[in-house]
Amino acid sequence: MTASPSSRPATRAARAKVPVTVITGFLGAGKTTLLRHVLAQARGRRIAIVVNEFGTLGIDGETLRACGVEGCRDDDIVELTNGCLCCTVADDFLPTMEALLDRADPPEHIVIETSGLALPKPLLKAFGWPTVRTRMTVDGVVTVVDGPAVAAGRFADDPDEIARQRQADPSLDHDNPLAEVYEDQLLSADMVIINKTDLMTPDQITMVEREIRAEIPRAVKVIHTVDGQVDPVVLLGMDAAAEDDLAARPSHHDAEGGEHEHDDFESFVAPIPEQDSADAFVTHLAHVAEKYDILRMKGFAAVRGKPMRLAVQGVGSRFRHQFDRPLSQDAPRTGNLVIIGQKGLPRAAIEADLQRT
């Protein structure tokens, strides 16, 4: 992407600052998977990861620490689980970034993975704060899109498409807060990654890219990926200085003074007993997700006879799982799942269903 003339002087001046890439995207789009590839292809570059999750259990941070990448230190992955990053900038974000920069060996690049419910723009505004403005710059905002979900019309702004999908998904509405979050994430982007294209037809990919470009009122790079596999050279080094280009990144919440509520969503952590079978467990999770209209499930479980921990990630009733790292021999063989959905989830009923092995 070519910077606008007004942003070029700031961009040149920012080259001495530590660049920060913001990875945003809706729940389950594949942000953490993308970050694993960035870490695996770092080529010795010191990259720090700041992970912000909706909920109190650090699933994404644990997933990244289990990536097995040589040279990836645990203290290079910082978790913020006290709330949505766009709502807790002063309390959590600024002290964390300052602490990273004050290290004896500060990172050469910082990547922030926002919560799937976060609006990017309040975070971008934080880079204008005096304590960080002279030391960091937003190298670029990367929005990861769940291609199959968008192709299905889940966040479509086309009234005809919404009408076609309404019977299967009555939550589809232009005023749905989920749609606003998705649109705000697109509007802040310097690059959009349409992920999971292996689950899409060529016509669906073309349609989704056309809708994305129509949504964003400026030129952005759009790329297609499978499992978030993209060379860090493509992601890092955009030199966008996004903190100086906020006017070109409109938000549904601009007129509200940047206020952002998550009252429409809730999350909780559900304990999981040891499972008899990984495949049967994932099948059961898909059933539970569909039964209670759960947006997102992610976490870990133990499986009888297996020395490795089972990591599971679900978007709606679509799940992926893998054994990611050895379980401690003296640790209890139980697990936990973060459950995320719209407000009013029947927590007791969900927890009771998840106790069934």
Side-chain angles (χ1 to χ4, degrees):
M1 174 182 168
T2 301
S4 63
S6 61
S7 68
R8 283 173 185 155
T11 299
R12 287 195 294 269
R15 286 174 182 163
K17 304 175 185 179
V18 174
V20 180
T21 298
V22 176
I23 307 289
T24 187
F26 200 72
L27 297 163
K31 300 185 296 295
T32 303
T33 303
L34 174 70
L35 277 177
R36 287 173 64 116
H37 286 291
V38 170
L39 291 173
Q41 301 295 326
R43 301 181 182 92
R45 192 174 187 179
R46 293 196 309 278
I47 298 177
I49 306 293
V50 177
V51 179
N52 177 228
E53 302 196 61
F54 189 72
T56 58
L57 190 64
I59 297 297
D60 291 346
E62 281 295 303
T63 299
L64 289 168
R65 290 191 182 95
C67 65
V69 175
E70 184 178 356
C72 177
R73 306 175 304 183
D74 280 359
D75 62 359
D76 287 333
I77 299 170
V78 180
E79 294 175 80
L80 298 175
T81 58
N82 293 327
C84 171
L85 190 58
C86 65
C87 304
T88 59
V89 166
D91 293 338
D92 295 320
F93 168 68
L94 294 176
T96 295
M97 300 300 275
E98 291 168 0
L100 284 172
L101 295 179
D102 289 340
R103 287 182 177 180
D105 56 341
E108 297 172 298
H109 202 112
I110 299 172
V111 181
I112 300 173
E113 178 193 350
T114 69
S115 156
L117 300 177
L119 302 178
K121 193 163 183 178
L123 177 59
L124 300 183
K125 290 180 179 178
F127 285 87
W129 286 45
T131 54
V132 297
R133 185 172 182 82
T134 60
R135 306 179 70 187
M136 293 182 293
T137 182
V138 182
D139 183 69
V141 179
V142 178
T143 298
V144 186
V145 169
D146 184 331
V150 177
R154 189 165 301 169
F155 307 113
D157 199 28
D158 180 347
D160 293 335
E161 180 65 17
I162 292 174
R164 285 192 293 271
Q165 295 293 327
R166 187 179 299 280
Q167 185 175 357
D169 188 351
S171 70
L172 287 174
D173 190 289
H174 179 71
D175 294 325
N176 191 321
L178 298 179
E180 289 190 3
V181 171
Y182 169 70
E183 290 163 7
D184 273 23
Q185 291 169 347
L186 287 179
L187 292 169
S188 287
D190 297 291
M191 176 184 292
V192 176
I193 294 177
I194 302 176
N195 196 26
K196 309 179 186 178
T197 53
D198 55 321
L199 304 178
M200 305 169 68
T201 66
D203 286 346
Q204 286 176 324
I205 295 172
T206 299
M207 178 194 71
V208 169
E209 179 167 347
R210 182 172 62 246
E211 290 179 354
I212 287 171
R213 291 191 183 279
E215 185 72 40
I216 305 173
R218 57 196 173 90
V220 299
K221 180 72 173 176
V222 179
I223 64 175
H224 310 155
T225 62
V226 175
D227 288 331
Q229 296 186 42
V230 58
D231 194 311
V233 172
V234 177
L235 299 181
L236 312 182
M238 285 188 273
D239 209 17
E243 70 274 17
D244 294 326
D245 193 28
L246 295 177
R249 304 164 194 267
S251 166
H252 286 283
H253 300 264
D254 282 341
E256 302 170 16
E259 294 179 1
H260 175 44
E261 301 292 339
H262 287 313
D263 291 343
D264 296 294
F265 310 104
E266 63 178 292
S267 73
F268 61 89
V269 178
I272 302 298
E274 186 176 32
Q275 301 296 309
D276 291 324
S277 161
D279 290 339
F281 177 52
V282 173
T283 298
H284 180 57
L285 291 183
H287 171 73
V288 171
E290 185 172 3
K291 180 178 179 181
Y292 297 105
D293 196 22
I294 296 170
L295 291 173
R296 189 84 162 94
M297 300 172 74
K298 54 184 178 178
F300 309 106
V303 179
R304 286 187 179 89
K306 302 292 185 181
M308 302 286 285
R309 183 180 69 175
L310 180 70
V312 294
Q313 297 265 359
V315 182
S317 59
R318 289 188 287 121
F319 278 81
R320 301 178 66 176
H321 65 284
Q322 65 177 26
F323 290 99
D324 66 345
R325 75 184 202 187
L327 287 163
S328 174
Q329 292 185 352
D330 56 354
R333 293 184 64 83
T334 56
N336 290 288
L337 280 179
V338 175
I339 312 297
I340 304 173
Q342 294 192 336
K343 197 168 185 65
L345 286 174
R347 177 172 181 170
I350 292 172
E351 289 182 335
D353 263 353
L354 291 175
Q355 287 298 310
R356 302 189 180 103
T357 59

